[in-house]
Amino acid sequence: MRIVHSDDLATALAEARIAVEAGEVVCLPTDTVYGIGADPFSYDAVSALLAAKSRTRAMPPPVLVAGIEQAETLVAKFPDSARDLMNAFWPGALTIILPARESLGWDLGETFGTVGLRMPDDDVTLAFLEQVGPLAVTSANKTGQMPATTICQAVDQLGQAVSVYVDHGQSPGGVPSTIVRWNGDDDTYEILRQGAITLHQLSSVVRVKGEA
């Protein structure tokens, strides 16, 4: 386990990349709290990610992407409405659940053929995603405990379960991402978790299930 600082960004990202490519878990900043990430295409890496979190496969992690182009490579159906949401709220605190592309051959847990996608508004993690590709990510804390907003808090909770911690100072914290799921039958979106993006903001772009 080692801590690297984003002041020397090239070195920090290189250390983290080596760990991810080895199937290990890394800790990265996001625009809300610190997250832990792993290679979504590696069953063992995803298992290590869930084990670090003390989470079962019944709660699969979302996937962080560097932008819309990366997102498009992961989904079986990419409706115009999803692109509209991404253009409106990415990078930012919106997770969009869409049908996953079967040819990916990954196993994130009990996803029922879907994938949750988010583009975080954090320069360090976006630079990393551009280098290594999509990452399976969840908040940096043990299940049931408060998410870490500093590297010290992350280390206290996760310890040796994470190989590389990238320290980018105090994270913003605040409200988590809003999670929406696309319904292909009528091209509407269901809010699964109300977070930073409000119903009013969403409904200005797409049709939201249950909306009057």
Side-chain angles (χ1 to χ4, degrees):
M1 184 269 286
R2 54 202 180 277
I3 299 173
V4 294
H5 294 270
S6 62
D7 292 346
D8 184 354
L9 187 58
T11 298
L13 297 187
E15 291 263 357
R17 180 171 187 163
I18 290 169
V20 168
E21 290 175 347
E24 298 169 354
V25 180
V26 299
C27 181
L28 297 163
T30 76
D31 46 350
T32 53
V33 297
Y34 275 88
I36 52 173
D39 180 359
F41 300 100
S42 166
Y43 177 88
D44 290 342
V46 173
S47 297
L49 178 72
L50 295 174
K53 180 86 173 178
S54 298
R55 175 174 284 185
T56 70
R57 296 178 62 76
M59 299 181 70
V63 173
L64 295 189
V65 293
I68 295 176
E69 288 185 3
Q70 267 190 14
E72 194 167 5
T73 67
L74 303 177
V75 298
K77 295 180 180 178
F78 194 57
D80 290 341
S81 58
R83 187 182 298 274
D84 291 341
L85 281 176
M86 293 172 186
N87 281 323
F89 301 114
W90 280 10
L94 180 66
T95 300
I96 305 172
I97 298 175
L98 294 168
R101 188 170 293 190
E102 291 184 12
S103 60
L104 292 172
W106 63 10
D107 185 355
L108 297 174
E110 297 174 16
T111 63
F112 304 101
T114 65
V115 59
L117 300 169
R118 184 163 99 83
M119 178 186 180
D121 191 8
D122 181 275
D123 291 344
V124 170
T125 296
L126 285 177
F128 190 60
L129 294 168
E130 288 169 0
Q131 286 187 17
V132 304
L135 277 184
V137 172
T138 184
S139 57
N141 59 285
K142 291 287 189 182
T143 297
Q145 298 186 31
M146 291 296 293
T149 56
T150 68
I151 281 295
C152 289
Q153 292 173 359
V155 172
D156 286 345
Q157 292 194 51
L158 302 169
Q160 298 292 333
V162 173
S163 295
V164 175
Y165 292 84
V166 178
D167 188 351
H168 192 50
Q170 178 83 35
S171 69
V175 182
S177 70
T178 293
I179 301 175
V180 298
R181 180 172 58 202
W182 178 64
N183 182 348
D185 292 335
D186 57 5
D187 196 26
T188 61
Y189 289 80
E190 178 184 3
I191 299 177
L192 302 185
R193 182 178 73 189
Q194 181 67 68
I197 307 300
T198 67
L199 170 61
H200 176 72
Q201 289 174 298
L202 291 169
S203 61
S204 69
V205 180
V206 297
R207 291 190 299 145
V208 180
K209 185 178 180 180
E211 190 182 12

